[in-house]
PDB file of all heavy atoms in Angstrom:
ATOM      1  N   VAL W  28       1.764  -8.751  -2.102  1.00 32.00           N
ATOM      2  CA  VAL W  28       1.349  -7.693  -1.180  1.00 32.00           C
ATOM      3  C   VAL W  28       2.471  -7.418  -0.197  1.00 32.00           C
ATOM      4  O   VAL W  28       2.593  -6.191   0.093  1.00 32.00           O
ATOM      5  CB  VAL W  28       0.228  -8.427  -0.359  1.00 32.00           C
ATOM      6  CG1 VAL W  28      -0.155  -7.470   0.810  1.00 32.00           C
ATOM      7  CG2 VAL W  28      -0.997  -8.695  -1.184  1.00 32.00           C
ATOM      8  N   PHE W  29       3.363  -8.377   0.133  1.00 29.00           N
ATOM      9  CA  PHE W  29       4.406  -8.059   0.965  1.00 29.00           C
ATOM     10  C   PHE W  29       5.385  -7.155   0.463  1.00 29.00           C
ATOM     11  O   PHE W  29       6.078  -6.380   1.186  1.00 29.00           O
ATOM     12  CB  PHE W  29       5.190  -9.393   1.337  1.00 29.00           C
ATOM     13  CG  PHE W  29       4.518 -10.185   2.415  1.00 29.00           C
ATOM     14  CD1 PHE W  29       3.820 -11.308   2.059  1.00 29.00           C
ATOM     15  CD2 PHE W  29       4.589  -9.769   3.694  1.00 29.00           C
ATOM     16  CE1 PHE W  29       3.254 -12.157   3.044  1.00 29.00           C
ATOM     17  CE2 PHE W  29       4.023 -10.503   4.718  1.00 29.00           C
ATOM     18  CZ  PHE W  29       3.282 -11.691   4.443  1.00 29.00           C
ATOM     19  N   ARG W  30       5.492  -6.985  -0.822  1.00 31.00           N
ATOM     20  CA  ARG W  30       6.433  -5.997  -1.498  1.00 31.00           C
ATOM     21  C   ARG W  30       6.106  -4.637  -1.080  1.00 31.00           C
ATOM     22  O   ARG W  30       6.969  -3.714  -1.314  1.00 31.00           O
ATOM     23  CB  ARG W  30       6.312  -6.080  -3.024  1.00 31.00           C
ATOM     24  CG  ARG W  30       7.008  -7.291  -3.621  1.00 31.00           C
ATOM     25  CD  ARG W  30       7.191  -7.022  -5.073  1.00 31.00           C
ATOM     26  NE  ARG W  30       7.359  -8.420  -5.665  1.00 31.00           N
ATOM     27  CZ  ARG W  30       6.688  -8.953  -6.618  1.00 31.00           C
ATOM     28  NH1 ARG W  30       5.469  -8.282  -7.088  1.00 31.00           N
ATOM     29  NH2 ARG W  30       6.878 -10.127  -7.174  1.00 31.00           N
ATOM     30  N   LEU W  31       4.857  -4.318  -0.623  1.00 30.00           N
ATOM     31  CA  LEU W  31       4.569  -2.970  -0.129  1.00 30.00           C
ATOM     32  C   LEU W  31       5.302  -2.630   1.122  1.00 30.00           C
ATOM     33  O   LEU W  31       5.409  -1.441   1.452  1.00 30.00           O
ATOM     34  CB  LEU W  31       3.113  -2.827   0.026  1.00 30.00           C
ATOM     35  CG  LEU W  31       2.200  -2.970  -1.161  1.00 30.00           C
ATOM     36  CD1 LEU W  31       0.703  -2.968  -0.742  1.00 30.00           C
ATOM     37  CD2 LEU W  31       2.438  -1.788  -2.099  1.00 30.00           C
ATOM     38  N   GLY W  32       5.858  -3.550   1.756  1.00 30.00           N
ATOM     39  CA  GLY W  32       6.632  -3.325   2.906  1.00 30.00           C
ATOM     40  C   GLY W  32       5.719  -3.148   4.152  1.00 30.00           C
ATOM     41  O   GLY W  32       4.483  -3.238   4.070  1.00 30.00           O
ATOM     42  N   VAL W  33       6.370  -3.046   5.293  1.00 31.00           N
ATOM     43  CA  VAL W  33       5.528  -2.937   6.601  1.00 31.00           C
ATOM     44  C   VAL W  33       5.626  -1.556   7.039  1.00 31.00           C
ATOM     45  O   VAL W  33       6.685  -0.994   7.375  1.00 31.00           O
ATOM     46  CB  VAL W  33       6.132  -3.912   7.643  1.00 31.00           C
ATOM     47  CG1 VAL W  33       5.396  -3.822   8.926  1.00 31.00           C
ATOM     48  CG2 VAL W  33       6.010  -5.377   7.124  1.00 31.00           C
ATOM     49  N   GLY W  34       4.577  -0.807   7.052  1.00 33.00           N
ATOM     50  CA  GLY W  34       4.490   0.544   7.554  1.00 33.00           C
ATOM     51  C   GLY W  34       3.838   0.630   8.872  1.00 33.00           C
ATOM     52  O   GLY W  34       3.704  -0.416   9.542  1.00 33.00           O
ATOM     53  N   LYS W  35       3.394   1.791   9.302  1.00 35.00           N
ATOM     54  CA  LYS W  35       2.800   1.991  10.509  1.00 35.00           C
ATOM     55  C   LYS W  35       1.380   2.035  10.476  1.00 35.00           C
ATOM     56  O   LYS W  35       0.579   1.255  11.049  1.00 35.00           O
ATOM     57  CB  LYS W  35       3.326   3.287  11.182  1.00 35.00           C
ATOM     58  CG  LYS W  35       4.844   3.158  11.466  1.00 35.00           C
ATOM     59  CD  LYS W  35       5.360   4.455  12.122  1.00 35.00           C
ATOM     60  CE  LYS W  35       6.796   4.400  12.460  1.00 35.00           C
ATOM     61  NZ  LYS W  35       7.313   5.607  13.055  1.00 35.00           N
ATOM     62  N   GLU W  36       0.759   2.951   9.600  1.00 40.00           N
ATOM     63  CA  GLU W  36      -0.562   3.078   9.391  1.00 40.00           C
ATOM     64  C   GLU W  36      -0.919   3.160   8.018  1.00 40.00           C
ATOM     65  O   GLU W  36      -0.643   4.232   7.330  1.00 40.00           O
ATOM     66  CB  GLU W  36      -1.148   4.355  10.178  1.00 40.00           C
ATOM     67  CG  GLU W  36      -1.637   4.076  11.530  1.00 40.00           C
ATOM     68  CD  GLU W  36      -2.323   5.277  12.085  1.00 40.00           C
ATOM     69  OE1 GLU W  36      -2.994   6.046  11.314  1.00 40.00           O
ATOM     70  OE2 GLU W  36      -2.144   5.523  13.333  1.00 40.00           O
ATOM     71  N   PRO W  37      -1.635   2.239   7.449  1.00 41.00           N
ATOM     72  CA  PRO W  37      -1.910   2.273   6.022  1.00 41.00           C
ATOM     73  C   PRO W  37      -2.629   3.486   5.617  1.00 41.00           C
ATOM     74  O   PRO W  37      -2.457   4.108   4.602  1.00 41.00           O
ATOM     75  CB  PRO W  37      -2.672   1.010   5.736  1.00 41.00           C
ATOM     76  CG  PRO W  37      -3.363   0.722   7.066  1.00 41.00           C
ATOM     77  CD  PRO W  37      -2.475   1.270   8.164  1.00 41.00           C
ATOM     78  N   PRO W  38      -3.697   3.861   6.376  1.00 40.00           N
ATOM     79  CA  PRO W  38      -4.552   4.987   5.861  1.00 40.00           C
ATOM     80  C   PRO W  38      -3.706   6.275   5.640  1.00 40.00           C
ATOM     81  O   PRO W  38      -4.018   6.967   4.634  1.00 40.00           O
ATOM     82  CB  PRO W  38      -5.480   5.198   7.042  1.00 40.00           C
ATOM     83  CG  PRO W  38      -5.553   3.887   7.805  1.00 40.00           C
ATOM     84  CD  PRO W  38      -4.183   3.355   7.597  1.00 40.00           C
ATOM     85  N   ALA W  39      -2.717   6.592   6.496  1.00 41.00           N
ATOM     86  CA  ALA W  39      -2.024   7.832   6.332  1.00 41.00           C
ATOM     87  C   ALA W  39      -0.869   7.708   5.252  1.00 41.00           C
ATOM     88  O   ALA W  39      -0.561   8.753   4.640  1.00 41.00           O
ATOM     89  CB  ALA W  39      -1.426   8.228   7.647  1.00 41.00           C
ATOM     90  N   PHE W  40      -0.317   6.557   5.093  1.00 43.00           N
ATOM     91  CA  PHE W  40       0.850   6.507   4.281  1.00 43.00           C
ATOM     92  C   PHE W  40       0.748   5.543   3.106  1.00 43.00           C
ATOM     93  O   PHE W  40       1.612   5.522   2.200  1.00 43.00           O
ATOM     94  CB  PHE W  40       2.113   5.931   5.158  1.00 43.00           C
ATOM     95  CG  PHE W  40       2.357   6.771   6.421  1.00 43.00           C
ATOM     96  CD1 PHE W  40       1.990   6.227   7.549  1.00 43.00           C
ATOM     97  CD2 PHE W  40       2.760   8.036   6.259  1.00 43.00           C
ATOM     98  CE1 PHE W  40       2.253   6.909   8.714  1.00 43.00           C
ATOM     99  CE2 PHE W  40       2.998   8.850   7.379  1.00 43.00           C
ATOM    100  CZ  PHE W  40       2.709   8.291   8.721  1.00 43.00           C
ATOM    101  N   PHE W  41      -0.303   4.859   2.984  1.00 48.00           N
ATOM    102  CA  PHE W  41      -0.535   3.914   1.926  1.00 48.00           C
ATOM    103  C   PHE W  41      -1.450   4.535   0.871  1.00 48.00           C
ATOM    104  O   PHE W  41      -2.564   4.862   1.134  1.00 48.00           O
ATOM    105  CB  PHE W  41      -1.204   2.646   2.476  1.00 48.00           C
ATOM    106  CG  PHE W  41      -1.458   1.502   1.484  1.00 48.00           C
ATOM    107  CD1 PHE W  41      -0.303   0.787   1.035  1.00 48.00           C
ATOM    108  CD2 PHE W  41      -2.686   1.205   1.046  1.00 48.00           C
ATOM    109  CE1 PHE W  41      -0.395  -0.146   0.144  1.00 48.00           C
ATOM    110  CE2 PHE W  41      -2.758   0.157   0.163  1.00 48.00           C
ATOM    111  CZ  PHE W  41      -1.708  -0.529  -0.299  1.00 48.00           C
ATOM    112  N   ARG W  42      -0.913   4.743  -0.298  1.00 54.00           N
ATOM    113  CA  ARG W  42      -1.689   5.437  -1.385  1.00 54.00           C
ATOM    114  C   ARG W  42      -2.611   4.440  -2.047  1.00 54.00           C
ATOM    115  O   ARG W  42      -2.353   3.308  -2.242  1.00 54.00           O
ATOM    116  CB  ARG W  42      -0.740   5.948  -2.457  1.00 54.00           C
ATOM    117  CG  ARG W  42       0.351   6.909  -1.943  1.00 54.00           C
ATOM    118  CD  ARG W  42       1.139   7.414  -3.124  1.00 54.00           C
ATOM    119  NE  ARG W  42       1.749   6.276  -3.811  1.00 54.00           N
ATOM    120  CZ  ARG W  42       2.211   6.268  -5.199  1.00 54.00           C
ATOM    121  NH1 ARG W  42       2.038   7.302  -5.796  1.00 54.00           N
ATOM    122  NH2 ARG W  42       2.688   5.144  -5.633  1.00 54.00           N
ATOM    123  N   VAL W  43      -3.803   4.955  -2.440  1.00 51.00           N
ATOM    124  CA  VAL W  43      -4.713   4.115  -3.127  1.00 51.00           C
ATOM    125  C   VAL W  43      -4.068   3.732  -4.489  1.00 51.00           C
ATOM    126  O   VAL W  43      -4.421   2.556  -4.890  1.00 51.00           O
ATOM    127  CB  VAL W  43      -6.096   5.039  -3.493  1.00 51.00           C
ATOM    128  CG1 VAL W  43      -6.931   4.262  -4.493  1.00 51.00           C
ATOM    129  CG2 VAL W  43      -6.858   5.234  -2.198  1.00 51.00           C
ATOM    130  N   GLU W  44      -3.214   4.404  -5.098  1.00 55.00           N
ATOM    131  CA  GLU W  44      -2.660   4.078  -6.248  1.00 55.00           C
ATOM    132  C   GLU W  44      -1.766   2.764  -6.107  1.00 55.00           C
ATOM    133  O   GLU W  44      -1.744   1.878  -6.924  1.00 55.00           O
ATOM    134  CB  GLU W  44      -1.627   5.125  -6.815  1.00 55.00           C
ATOM    135  CG  GLU W  44      -2.355   6.356  -7.430  1.00 55.00           C
ATOM    136  CD  GLU W  44      -2.824   7.231  -6.297  1.00 55.00           C
ATOM    137  OE1 GLU W  44      -2.519   7.056  -5.197  1.00 55.00           O
ATOM    138  OE2 GLU W  44      -3.515   8.183  -6.755  1.00 55.00           O
ATOM    139  N   ASP W  45      -1.186   2.568  -4.889  1.00 56.00           N
ATOM    140  CA  ASP W  45      -0.508   1.357  -4.567  1.00 56.00           C
ATOM    141  C   ASP W  45      -1.450   0.163  -4.460  1.00 56.00           C
ATOM    142  O   ASP W  45      -1.190  -0.921  -4.948  1.00 56.00           O
ATOM    143  CB  ASP W  45       0.215   1.520  -3.199  1.00 56.00           C
ATOM    144  CG  ASP W  45       1.311   2.546  -3.270  1.00 56.00           C
ATOM    145  OD1 ASP W  45       1.933   2.739  -4.359  1.00 56.00           O
ATOM    146  OD2 ASP W  45       1.507   3.208  -2.224  1.00 56.00           O
ATOM    147  N   ALA W  46      -2.646   0.409  -3.867  1.00 56.00           N
ATOM    148  CA  ALA W  46      -3.583  -0.575  -3.741  1.00 56.00           C
ATOM    149  C   ALA W  46      -4.193  -1.045  -5.164  1.00 56.00           C
ATOM    150  O   ALA W  46      -4.237  -2.166  -5.488  1.00 56.00           O
ATOM    151  CB  ALA W  46      -4.841  -0.115  -2.914  1.00 56.00           C
ATOM    152  N   LEU W  47      -4.424  -0.018  -5.939  1.00 55.00           N
ATOM    153  CA  LEU W  47      -4.971  -0.266  -7.251  1.00 55.00           C
ATOM    154  C   LEU W  47      -3.995  -1.099  -8.156  1.00 55.00           C
ATOM    155  O   LEU W  47      -4.383  -1.904  -9.021  1.00 55.00           O
ATOM    156  CB  LEU W  47      -5.298   0.927  -7.981  1.00 55.00           C
ATOM    157  CG  LEU W  47      -6.462   1.774  -7.361  1.00 55.00           C
ATOM    158  CD1 LEU W  47      -6.675   3.089  -8.107  1.00 55.00           C
ATOM    159  CD2 LEU W  47      -7.752   0.927  -7.515  1.00 55.00           C
ATOM    160  N   SER W  48      -2.663  -0.926  -7.958  1.00 58.00           N
ATOM    161  CA  SER W  48      -1.672  -1.658  -8.675  1.00 58.00           C
ATOM    162  C   SER W  48      -1.747  -3.122  -8.413  1.00 58.00           C
ATOM    163  O   SER W  48      -1.413  -4.005  -9.271  1.00 58.00           O
ATOM    164  CB  SER W  48      -0.253  -1.209  -8.368  1.00 58.00           C
ATOM    165  OG  SER W  48       0.108  -1.573  -7.177  1.00 58.00           O
ATOM    166  N   LEU W  49      -2.293  -3.474  -7.200  1.00 57.00           N
ATOM    167  CA  LEU W  49      -2.446  -4.929  -6.901  1.00 57.00           C
ATOM    168  C   LEU W  49      -3.591  -5.564  -7.680  1.00 57.00           C
ATOM    169  O   LEU W  49      -3.524  -6.848  -7.700  1.00 57.00           O
ATOM    170  CB  LEU W  49      -2.691  -5.039  -5.418  1.00 57.00           C
ATOM    171  CG  LEU W  49      -1.506  -4.606  -4.447  1.00 57.00           C
ATOM    172  CD1 LEU W  49      -1.947  -4.652  -3.055  1.00 57.00           C
ATOM    173  CD2 LEU W  49      -0.295  -5.401  -4.723  1.00 57.00           C
ATOM    174  N   VAL W  50      -4.500  -4.869  -8.204  1.00 55.00           N
ATOM    175  CA  VAL W  50      -5.667  -5.393  -8.859  1.00 55.00           C
ATOM    176  C   VAL W  50      -5.446  -5.317 -10.430  1.00 55.00           C
ATOM    177  O   VAL W  50      -6.363  -5.635 -11.118  1.00 55.00           O
ATOM    178  CB  VAL W  50      -6.941  -4.919  -8.404  1.00 55.00           C
ATOM    179  CG1 VAL W  50      -7.188  -5.281  -7.024  1.00 55.00           C
ATOM    180  CG2 VAL W  50      -6.987  -3.353  -8.579  1.00 55.00           C
ATOM    181  N   SER W  51      -4.324  -4.771 -10.878  1.00 54.00           N
ATOM    182  CA  SER W  51      -4.094  -4.597 -12.256  1.00 54.00           C
ATOM    183  C   SER W  51      -2.979  -5.608 -12.631  1.00 54.00           C
ATOM    184  O   SER W  51      -1.829  -5.278 -12.567  1.00 54.00           O
ATOM    185  CB  SER W  51      -3.641  -3.182 -12.603  1.00 54.00           C
ATOM    186  OG  SER W  51      -4.587  -2.297 -12.362  1.00 54.00           O
TER     187      SER W  51
END
């Protein structure tokens, strides 16, 4: 999870594709 880095606001900058990659 940490590999995604530390951003400011996940909803605006965090893609669902990034989230889905964590469950594959």
Side-chain angles (χ1 to χ4, degrees):
V28 177
F29 279 105
R30 284 196 201 118
L31 293 173
V33 178
K35 295 180 180 179
E36 264 189 36
F40 306 109
F41 184 71
R42 300 180 308 156
V43 167
E44 289 79 6
D45 296 327
L47 293 172
S48 71
L49 295 175
V50 295
S51 294

